[in-house]
Every structure is written in C-alpha cells, then in structure tokens.
Amino acid sequence: MEDAPLLALPCAGMVVVSPHPDDEVLGAGGLICSAARAGHDPIVLSVTDGEAAYPDWKGLDRIRRRELSDALNVLAPQNVHTEHLSIPDGRVNEHRATLFDAIDRRISRNALLVAPYERDGHPDHDATGEVCCEIARLRGVTLWRYPIWLWHHGTPEQFAAKGWGRFLIDLATLKAKARAMRCFASQMRPLGREPIVPGHILSYFIRPYEAFLA
C-alpha cells in the first residue's frame, strides 16, 4: 500500500457515509479534517447509531452519538455537518431504499462521495458500500471507498489490486485523528466488556495516510 498513488484533496463538497459511529473517523478522519481545514464543509451521514454493538447496553445509541459528536468536534470544530439516519444497527440491508434516498438527496454532481468498501466483511458496511456504488454509477459522482475490517482479514492480493490510492495526512492532522479516535470509549475501552475495536486493529488507522479504493 505504501507504493499506491497519492490522492489529492478534492476541491468540491464531500459526503462521508458511515455505517456506525467511529467508521468515518477510523477510515476517513484525516480526510475530513483536511477538507475542513481547507475551508470545505463535509457532510457526515451516520447510517446507524451502533446500538447493536452490545445489545444489553441500554442507551448505547445515545452514547455513540455523543462520542461521534465529540470526535468530529476534535477534527473540525465548526465545519462538519452531521446527520443521523437511525437505521437499525445490523439491518442496513433491509433499508437500502431509505439509505439510497437519504444519500441521493444530499449528493451533488461535483461532490466526492466517501463510503465503506463494499467487500469490507461486515454486513452493514457491505450493504452501505453497495448502495453508495450504485449512487455513484447512476449519478456520475466520484467515489472513494475506505476499508475498516478488511485491514484485519484482507489478503495482500486485495490490497495490491488496481485502484487503491493514499491520501497523505500531515502530523497535525494525524494527531487530531488520534485524539478523535480516543473519543469512542464505548468501542475501544468499554468497562467490563471486550472492545469491539481492539488495540491491534487501531494501528491500521494511525499511519500517515488513509487508503481509499478510488
């Protein structure tokens, strides 16, 4: 991946679609921060509230919304607009039409659509990515897809495939992303529970670049 071509910061608007609160920061936090610092106003569409991560944890949806707000405030205090679709966690595939309409209403022809990789290995990620691929094809918009779980179970051949690119992150942006990632305590440091995102996974997201299939 270190030899993949470099991707330039787009000059137009940006819509970042995230299956669960934390995916947008892990996969594209540096891109969001860089776009905001360049004077753009990225839109984050949070598809679910991630309440199924720990089904017995009452109020987890509200906690994860607050974590997302805190994280985006670290990345870009003034410039990110967040919309919560509240599609049931784990059931995105059943709500493709709702998701399609929500994204389609917010994406313009010259905007960049940033979405999870459609073969990431989590059903919500895959369904969200597939819907975004369909919108990009039908509307002719530019699409960048970020991996999350693919870093853990993907093969070298998958990452060597054509189309991958790197968006470089400077040191200040990388530090901001690291602080934003720490906001997701429910996923990384849950009291008395196994973390959804263990420490060895986090190393993929604190490198001086973010990878996108473009």
Side-chain angles (χ1 to χ4, degrees), residues 87-88 90-97 99 123-124 126-128 130-131:
I87 290 174
R91 295 170 56 189
V92 174
N93 191 54
E94 302 170 31
H95 298 268
R96 286 177 178 248
L99 178 58
D124 282 349
D126 296 356
T128 300
E130 288 168 3
V131 169

Side-chain angles (χ1 to χ4, degrees), residues 79-102:
N79 296 78
V80 180
H81 176 65
T82 309
E83 297 187 32
H84 300 272
L85 303 184
S86 295
I87 290 174
D89 187 10
R91 295 170 56 189
V92 174
N93 191 54
E94 302 170 31
H95 298 268
R96 286 177 178 248
T98 298
L99 178 58
F100 184 101
D101 290 343

Side-chain angles (χ1 to χ4, degrees), residues 29-46:
L31 176 63
I32 292 170
C33 184
S34 298
R37 288 178 174 173
H40 304 311
D41 297 308
I43 297 173
V44 170
L45 292 184
S46 190

